[in-house]
Amino acid sequence: MHRAWRHDSAEQHVTGRAIYIDDMPSLPGTQEIWLATSPHPHARILSIDCAKARAVPGVSAVIAATDIPGVNDVAPIFSGEPILADGVAEYVGHPIAAIAASDRDTARRAAALVAVAYEVLEPVLSIEDALARESYVARPQIMQRGDAAAAIAAAPHRIEGEAGCGGQDHFYLEGQVALAVPANAVTVEVRRMGGAFGGKESQATIVAAIAAVAARATGLPAKLRLARDEDMIVTGKRHDFLFRYEAGFDERGRIAGLDFLFAARAGNVADLSTSVMGRALCHADNCYDIPNALFRGYCCKTNTVSNTAFRGFGGPQGMVAIELVIEHIARTLGMDVEAVRRANYYGAAPRNVTPYGQTVDDNIIEEVVDRLSGKADYEARRREVAAFNATSPVIKKGIAMVPIKFGISFNVKSLNQAGALVHVYTDGSVHLNHGGTEMGQGLYVKIAQVVSEAFQIDLDRIRVSPASTDKVPNTSATAASSGSDLNGMAALDAANRIKQRMAGVAAEQFGVAPAEIRFADNRVYAGNRSLAFDELAKMSWAERVSLSATGFYRTPDIHWDAARMQGRPFFYYAYGACIAEVAIDTLTGENRVLRADMIEDCGASLNPAIDLGQIEGGFVQGMGWVTMEELWWDAEGRLRTHGPSTYKIPGSRDVPPVFNVHILEDSPNPHPTIFRSKAVGEPPLMLALSVWLAIRDAVSSLAGGRYVRLDPPATPERVLAAVEAARAP
């Protein structure tokens, strides 16, 4: 265990031999689907004429909302989220009809012939407009601790401000795609996804449902694969947020009270917005004790695509807000930002209770920060940056650190469970299936390592089959960074059940107590006597001992009152810190990340190679969010950044040339997780906030240290505007 094994599909991925849905040979008669979508952000559908589309040779079905059997609703939490628009189109790109044909080009031509009569209605296109109209997809969420208003009023210093952060497209390698085959019983199988990052958590159901309805209508296999542009227009993204804040604090920068308003663009329906908002509110403290807090969250209904889950699930937005407040306090007092952070870090009781009522009982943030500062020569480099800026009139450098505390568990209690299925065969091989899906994050190899460790057999003896509903039912989403935590424990439970039975057979064979049986090195030992693992498997079968078991796990010690926004939503916290150094061009606003140093708390890492890859990838994806990935809608509600020509993600040349990534050593999880490891999928993304803070630091050097607004993403246009504001008298 805790060894650096490569991803089980690594070779297939890099050679292009990994099979995704669109790589599978088409079944005979497979129908390809294309969508007809709304050109309006808000319009009543008066009529849909599909006659011309149906008349196109090769078209087998044209499906509108009225053609859907059963209930036209795929809402993951609430109701009223139709597969195809029913009565009203609520964003540009809203699917109105699905056309199935013998090939994709035919379906696309036919989709253009679907004639829809609309009554155009007034849209709500911005968060500000939605707040003014009180246009929400759900009731506001309120989190409160103490009396924020009284604490702010009594504090010797006070600030208030407004800021925001942009959304982000998932831009996964493989777009949304589903293949449905007519059957009288449905089994869903997922071997791998070409990335997901949250985009395939809830909104994949729309794609799958359309494929299924088309298969039913035609009696033939049906496949819907969204093209990149269509995918970006039709499906949701990370929520962009608007923040308004008021804080009271003392001369040391210690926060006495904080009032936050969070408003998120939910889009046309609720989707997962309330859960995203809840997690944003639960991370608006980050690493800081806020004794008096009032956090208000508004999920704004707008006539734009429904936003959804994205890596971090609201946590990044919450951390952006509090880091803005910390910096604003420091600039106001003329203090070092790190000094203000240390004044507010969680500590011993009573400074260890979050605004949502959970005691922070595993806090190691100061240790993490101190280790990173030493490794990266932070203080010396800050002096070097200041010296550089003093003599460089055009290029300015900035350097900043961000600490993170990220809660691990679903904030819906019922999702914190998992099942697994394990078989041992008489040749000593082991079959493993669990409810987690593989999306490139290395979950399959990690869980295989768990089973390998349990039986003490070589990893190549373990065969992992695709996640499938006929193997493990009622699975939770592979999300919330909990895939290894949940499925690893379930697989260990199943393996241990079989191991116990096999130990009983071995004990009888050797004439010893079962407690004396030891599994090691592909063998089973009783003192100096031993059997090969496969021999014991054959012996157990001969003795009619079951070599199959299901395992189950549910996360302990968590509870949550969604109405009061209080409880213990997280089993534990993952910590980390990152220092980024950047340079900006004050004439163009362009910026470059020169160096990044980070430490991530993975507990006792199950697989350091996989975890390092997750840290590196999460950081670069987060860097894209805070610097270049800009979603832009025009005045008519049309997304104009819907392809790689207009929507920029980080490339290889954007990765910092000096990129030092460390896993925190000698820090096993104090909570009873799978082999004392910690989750690593989402927390590293927030390390990239250091890049945005470093850009802000560079801009601040032009402003004499005063606070200047610069919202993420810090595109060249925004950086240049901030530079001009910094230089203004």
Side-chain angles (χ1 to χ4, degrees):
M1 204 65 244
H2 312 298
R3 291 180 60 187
W5 293 97
R6 71 179 183 180
H7 193 294
D8 56 306
S9 294
E11 184 176 342
Q12 294 99 307
H13 287 168
V14 299
T15 59
R17 296 203 306 270
I19 300 299
Y20 299 94
I21 292 176
D22 204 42
D23 297 314
M24 295 177 181
S26 293
L27 296 169
T30 296
Q31 301 296 288
E32 299 276 354
I33 303 168
W34 195 269
L35 302 177
T37 61
S38 171
H40 305 290
H42 196 199
R44 186 170 289 109
I45 300 171
L46 302 178
S47 64
I48 304 176
D49 185 352
C50 301
K52 290 183 178 179
R54 288 194 176 97
V56 174
V59 169
S60 57
V62 180
I63 300 159
T66 54
D67 301 308
I68 295 173
V71 180
N72 179 20
D73 196 340
V74 289
I77 298 178
F78 300 97
S79 59
E81 301 190 16
I83 302 164
L84 296 171
D86 190 0
V88 179
E90 295 202 282
Y91 68 97
V92 174
H94 201 162
I96 304 295
I99 294 81
S102 55
D103 62 83
R104 206 154 172 252
D105 288 340
T106 299
R108 185 173 188 171
R109 288 197 307 272
L113 298 176
V114 174
V116 184
Y118 296 99
E119 177 191 348
V120 177
L121 305 173
E122 184 181 4
V124 177
L125 296 177
S126 70
I127 294 175
E128 292 85 352
D129 197 9
L131 282 173
R133 299 189 192 191
E134 298 185 351
S135 174
Y136 310 128
V137 297
R139 63 175 181 80
Q141 294 164 268
I142 310 296
M143 180 182 293
Q144 189 165 6
R145 180 190 180 203
D147 189 337
I152 293 169
H157 300 281
R158 210 184 98 211
I159 57 168
E160 59 182 32
E162 179 178 296
C165 63
Q168 186 178 21
D169 189 84
H170 301 87
F171 218 92
Y172 22 63
L173 175 67
E174 176 196 34
Q176 295 279 10
V177 54
L179 171 66
V181 180
N184 65 352
V186 176
T187 298
V188 179
E189 180 178 296
V190 180
R191 173 59 186 92
R192 61 170 61 86
M193 290 176 275
F197 311 118
K200 298 170 183 174
E201 182 171 344
S202 63
Q203 298 203 354
T205 56
I206 299 172
V207 177
I210 290 173
V213 171
R216 181 183 186 274
T218 63
L220 296 167
K223 181 170 71 175
L224 174 55
R225 173 175 64 85
L226 298 183
R228 177 69 64 184
D229 289 84
E230 187 183 32
D231 194 320
M232 293 185 72
I233 292 170
V234 170
T235 67
K237 311 163 195 323
R238 184 189 295 282
H239 295 70
D240 50 323
F241 269 61
L242 172 71
F243 316 114
R244 291 173 182 157
Y245 58 89
E246 185 177 11
F249 50 95
D250 63 18
E251 290 79 6
R252 298 177 301 121
R254 176 86 175 94
I255 297 173
L258 178 59
D259 185 334
F260 261 141
L261 179 147
F262 281 20
R265 183 199 300 266
N268 66 301
V269 293
D271 197 270
L272 298 170
S273 293
T274 55
S275 295
V276 169
M277 178 60 75
R279 206 168 182 91
L281 298 180
C282 285
H283 286 82
D285 60 328
N286 195 12
C287 301
Y288 312 113
D289 172 47
I290 304 171
N292 297 281
L294 175 59
F295 298 168
R296 295 164 289 153
Y298 298 86
C299 296
C300 296
K301 179 179 173 64
T302 56
N303 292 113
T304 50
V305 63
S306 169
N307 285 325
T308 189
F310 200 115
R311 194 176 194 170
F313 206 77
Q317 294 96 317
M319 291 188 191
V320 164
I322 187 61
E323 291 302 328
L324 274 172
V325 170
I326 291 291
E327 184 188 331
H328 198 165
I329 290 171
R331 302 294 184 199
T332 299
L333 294 174
M335 289 180 61
D336 178 62
V337 178
E338 296 308 320
V340 174
R341 286 200 175 100
R342 288 189 180 273
N344 287 283
Y345 279 148
Y346 280 112
R351 293 187 53 186
N352 64 345
V353 180
T354 67
Y356 46 91
Q358 178 164 341
T359 299
V360 182
D361 57 8
D362 57 6
N363 184 22
I364 57 171
I365 192 57
E366 291 196 68
E367 175 191 349
V368 170
V369 166
D370 289 344
R371 283 204 200 184
L372 180 62
S373 296
K375 280 179 177 287
D377 297 322
Y378 185 39
E379 293 304 323
R381 288 171 55 207
R382 291 176 70 189
R383 292 191 293 270
E384 291 170 4
V385 165
F388 175 90
N389 288 341
T391 60
S392 177
V394 175
I395 304 299
K396 297 293 182 182
K397 288 185 177 181
I399 187 169
M401 177 164 59
V402 69
I404 64 163
K405 172 182 68 68
F406 190 82
I408 304 297
S409 290
F410 286 97
N411 53 1
V412 176
K413 184 178 178 180
S414 60
L415 295 178
N416 293 284
Q417 59 175 304
L421 176 65
V422 173
H423 305 313
V424 173
Y425 295 94
T426 55
D427 65 352
S429 64
V430 176
H431 171 86
L432 165 65
N433 188 274
H434 54 82
T437 57
E438 176 62 56
M439 57 195 82
Q441 82 279 38
L443 178 64
Y444 278 15
V445 70
K446 279 189 171 184
I447 309 306
Q449 284 180 264
V450 168
V451 175
S452 170
E453 178 73 10
F455 288 123
Q456 287 292 296
I457 59 176
D458 293 340
L459 188 62
D460 61 10
R461 289 187 178 223
I462 315 293
R463 292 290 179 267
V464 185
S465 61
S468 179
T469 54
D470 66 354
K471 301 289 193 304
V472 178
N474 309 317
T475 62
S476 297
T478 306
S481 302
S482 61
S484 296
D485 283 5
L486 295 176
N487 295 288
M489 280 295 214
L492 181 63
D493 180 46
N496 281 340
R497 291 174 187 274
I498 299 172
K499 183 179 176 182
Q500 185 176 21
R501 297 172 199 154
M502 293 178 72
V505 174
E508 187 173 338
Q509 171 70 17
F510 291 127
V512 298
E516 295 182 47
I517 299 298
R518 182 172 60 90
F519 288 68
D521 302 322
N522 297 300
R523 300 187 70 82
V524 183
Y525 292 86
N528 292 327
R529 294 174 292 168
S530 71
L531 278 172
F533 182 81
D534 54 343
E535 291 182 78
L536 180 58
K538 291 175 187 175
M539 189 179 296
S540 298
W541 175 80
E543 292 296 324
R544 299 183 296 176
V545 170
S546 173
L547 294 174
S548 177
T550 58
F552 182 76
Y553 175 75
R554 61 179 184 179
T555 308
D557 304 327
I558 54 173
H559 56 90
W560 183 243
D561 184 333
R564 295 177 52 246
M565 298 290 288
Q566 294 290 306
R568 182 189 171 96
F570 305 123
F571 187 33
Y572 64 88
Y573 296 100
Y575 297 87
C578 182
I579 295 168
E581 184 175 340
V582 305
I584 66 170
D585 186 328
T586 60
L587 299 180
T588 66
E590 292 181 276
N591 61 80
R592 292 288 183 271
V593 184
L594 306 176
R595 177 175 170 177
D597 299 80
M598 62 201 71
I599 288 182
E600 180 63 36
D601 166 30
C602 300
S605 171
L606 291 177
N607 186 321
I610 294 292
D611 287 351
L612 282 170
Q614 287 290 288
I615 297 166
E616 292 167 353
F619 173 84
V620 172
Q621 187 175 49
M623 186 179 72
W625 175 52
V626 299
T627 61
M628 66 183 69
E629 297 186 42
E630 185 175 31
L631 296 164
W632 186 76
W633 282 265
D634 65 17
E636 284 73 46
R638 295 173 295 185
L639 179 65
R640 292 301 199 178
T641 50
H642 54 78
S645 63
T646 52
Y647 183 84
K648 300 300 183 183
I649 65 170
S652 58
R653 294 183 181 181
D654 297 301
V655 176
V658 181
F659 196 23
N660 299 318
V661 182
H662 308 279
I663 291 175
L664 184 66
E665 299 172 342
D666 305 319
S667 184
N669 194 338
H671 298 278
T673 55
I674 186 68
F675 296 121
R676 299 292 178 172
S677 63
K678 283 191 177 184
V680 72
E682 292 172 294
L685 185 137
M686 280 139 284
L687 297 175
L689 295 182
S690 59
V691 173
W692 166 63
L693 293 171
I695 294 172
R696 293 178 58 87
D697 182 62
V699 171
S700 182
S701 70
L702 299 164
R706 63 183 171 85
Y707 179 82
V708 178
R709 179 172 176 174
L710 172 59
D711 298 349
T715 60
E717 295 88 346
R718 288 185 177 179
V719 171
L720 190 58
V723 166
E724 292 176 354
R727 284 174 166 163

